Amino acid sequence: MTTTRIEAARDVAHERRITIALFAAGLTTFASMYSAQALLPSLSAAFGATPALAALAVSLTTGFLALAIIPVSALSSRIGRTKVMIGSAVAAAVLGLLLPLSPSLDLLLAGRALQGIALAGVPAVAMAYLAEEIGGDGLGAAMGIYVAGTTIGGLAGRLIPAFTLDVASWRWAQAVASIAAAACTVWFVRRLPPSRGFVPRPAGIRTVLGDLGSPLRHRGLLALFGLAFVLMGGFVSMYNYLGYRLTSAPFGLPEALVGLVFVLYLAGTAASAASGLLTDRIGRSRVLAMSLAVMAIGLVVTIPDHIGTVLLGVLLFTAGFFGAHTAASAWVGAMAEGNRGAASSLYLFAYYLGSALVGGTAGIAYARSGWLGLVCGIGSLMVIAALLLWVSHRASTRDLTNAASVRRAPRERPLPRWMYAARSGRAR
């Protein structure tokens, strides 16, 4: 009994270290990924770039991250999850420290694209790592804390440069954000424990394609991948052009004050942690449905040109998005029982591809029709998200029904011993 208690205590300590380390990983990854978002109006002014062109500082990072997700995930299946995550975080931190030295917008965009590739290792592996190391009833809560770390990282990556812009140029703002991300990287590397549940697998091209084929044939997982694409695309679109709206008429707010809007990311921190707990209690589809409803309400509330309603709407939209992302992430891990790594990679590929494609092209809608045009575009994505949620729920229900049918199916009972003896006698 004493030995069992000691082992249980060690398991709890191991899971706690994992949770803290992945929280730090979320901080450094998302602080680096979105540090340029608060700088977009300043980049437009410094380089004479349009909003859509300046937004490439965000879209290129998430786009190249999306392209690197699957190869990096395959690499982690061969050499280990922890090695890939540590190497990714360190490389991204080094590149981030070099970004403020960029002499032109083209070179800055190239550096941001490279940083996106470097960043891919953490989000590509984190979900599979948590599923392997924790799993069970604690997975939803652990996933919620990791996503909470990403929200705080996203907040810090936007808020630190915004405050720095009040007293210095965009270069200093980027430098301060990169130093903060590097400090979180050190914290992550020092806290991450060795993996226990990892089993190496071959990572050849045939193996990778075979792993990807199974999730792509699952209707429920395909719907979740599409859900990630449209939700992340709409979310990034709102934050990409929110600064432009608030710094222009009728608001005309200074950039440092606009940066305070990113404090609303704390709503995402609370929502992701709460969503992780709720998914373990009431189910993922219900949490996703509630989160989508909150997003839709928040989107409509942002339409009037009143600072109070805009802030309230962004608050609701942010909370709903991170609640939905947490529930969908946990659902992917639960639905993909065969190969969680491949399913997680495809989910994140769609997630960041939506950020890159939708977040960039939404600038066209904003340039032509203003904020109302942007809201209409995001609203159409919300309708698609609701349909995809319905498809995912139907597929999940069918899987549960099939599994229950298999368990209830009558099993062939072994013959009694006397019949075996009788058969043996006849054979002789």
Side-chain angles (χ1 to χ4, degrees):
M1 187 67 179
T2 304
T3 304
T4 303
R5 289 181 177 178
I6 293 175
E7 291 178 352
R10 288 176 179 174
D11 291 340
V12 170
H14 181 72
E15 292 184 2
R16 186 180 295 114
R17 284 191 64 187
I18 290 173
T19 303
I20 294 174
L22 267 293
F23 178 81
L27 287 177
T28 185
T29 303
F30 280 73
S32 299
M33 192 182 307
Y34 292 111
S35 60
Q37 198 166 52
L39 304 177
L40 296 184
S42 295
L43 293 178
S44 292
F47 297 105
T50 64
L53 180 60
L56 289 176
V58 178
S59 296
L60 283 175
T61 304
T62 55
F64 276 85
L65 186 151
L67 295 176
I69 284 281
I70 294 175
V72 169
S73 178
L75 180 65
S76 74
S77 297
R78 185 163 191 163
I79 69 173
R81 315 292 190 197
T82 56
K83 291 180 180 179
V84 168
M85 287 192 290
I86 290 174
S88 172
V90 171
V94 172
L95 286 170
L97 294 172
L98 297 176
L99 288 177
L101 305 177
S102 304
S104 65
L105 180 61
D106 291 340
L107 196 57
L108 175 65
L109 296 179
R112 290 286 293 169
L114 288 175
Q115 193 177 34
I117 296 174
L119 285 168
V122 174
V125 176
M127 292 170 62
Y129 176 76
L130 285 174
E132 290 171 350
E133 298 299 313
I134 297 179
D137 296 334
L139 179 58
M143 193 72 71
I145 294 175
Y146 165 66
V147 176
T150 67
T151 62
I152 296 177
L155 169 64
R158 293 165 169 93
L159 206 57
I160 292 173
F163 284 155
T164 309
L165 284 173
D166 198 32
V167 295
S169 67
W170 72 266
R171 297 182 186 277
W172 281 105
Q174 178 65 67
V176 174
S178 297
I179 292 171
C184 291
T185 298
V186 174
W187 180 23
F188 163 62
V189 172
R190 290 176 62 87
R191 292 294 302 175
L192 186 67
S195 178
R196 290 181 177 179
F198 172 72
V199 178
R201 302 177 68 251
I205 185 65
R206 291 185 179 179
T207 303
V208 173
L209 293 177
D211 290 343
L212 297 177
S214 178
L216 290 174
R217 289 190 296 268
H218 194 291
R219 184 178 300 177
L221 287 173
L222 276 176
L224 288 176
F225 301 156
L227 194 70
F229 181 90
V230 297
L231 290 184
M232 184 57 167
F235 179 74
V236 170
S237 297
M238 175 174 285
Y239 273 93
N240 272 356
Y241 305 104
L242 182 63
Y244 288 101
R245 184 190 186 192
L246 296 180
T247 54
S248 59
F251 301 103
L253 300 177
E255 290 186 2
L257 188 58
V258 170
L260 288 174
V261 174
F262 294 119
V263 173
L264 298 177
Y265 249 64
L266 293 175
T269 305
S272 58
S275 176
L277 294 173
L278 283 175
T279 55
D280 294 331
R281 295 179 181 178
I282 67 174
R284 302 172 184 91
S285 60
R286 291 182 180 180
V287 173
L288 259 171
M290 291 189 297
S291 299
L292 291 180
V294 173
M295 287 183 72
I297 294 171
L299 182 64
V300 174
V301 172
T302 64
I303 295 176
D305 287 331
H306 187 277
I307 189 63
T309 59
V310 171
L311 295 180
L312 176 60
V314 174
L315 175 74
L316 293 173
F317 191 82
T318 303
F321 168 76
F322 280 103
H325 174 45
T326 301
S329 300
W331 205 354
V332 168
M335 195 178 292
E337 296 180 354
N339 193 339
R340 292 189 175 97
S344 299
S345 299
L346 288 169
Y347 175 85
L348 292 172
F349 171 76
Y351 183 83
Y352 291 111
L353 192 65
S355 172
L357 297 182
V358 181
T361 56
I364 300 173
Y366 179 74
R368 291 182 177 179
S369 305
W371 188 258
L372 184 59
L374 185 68
V375 167
C376 290
I378 297 174
S380 64
L381 296 177
M382 297 297 300
V383 174
I384 296 172
L387 294 174
L388 291 171
L389 171 59
W390 178 78
V391 172
S392 234
H393 176 71
R394 288 287 300 272
S396 179
T397 303
R398 185 184 65 249
D399 290 346
L400 291 175
T401 302
N402 292 339
S405 300
V406 171
R407 286 194 297 269
R408 289 196 301 265
R411 297 180 180 180
E412 183 179 353
R413 296 182 179 180
L415 294 174
R417 291 182 179 179
W418 65 270
M419 292 187 68
Y420 281 114
R423 286 185 176 184
S424 299
R426 286 196 299 268
R428 287 193 295 268

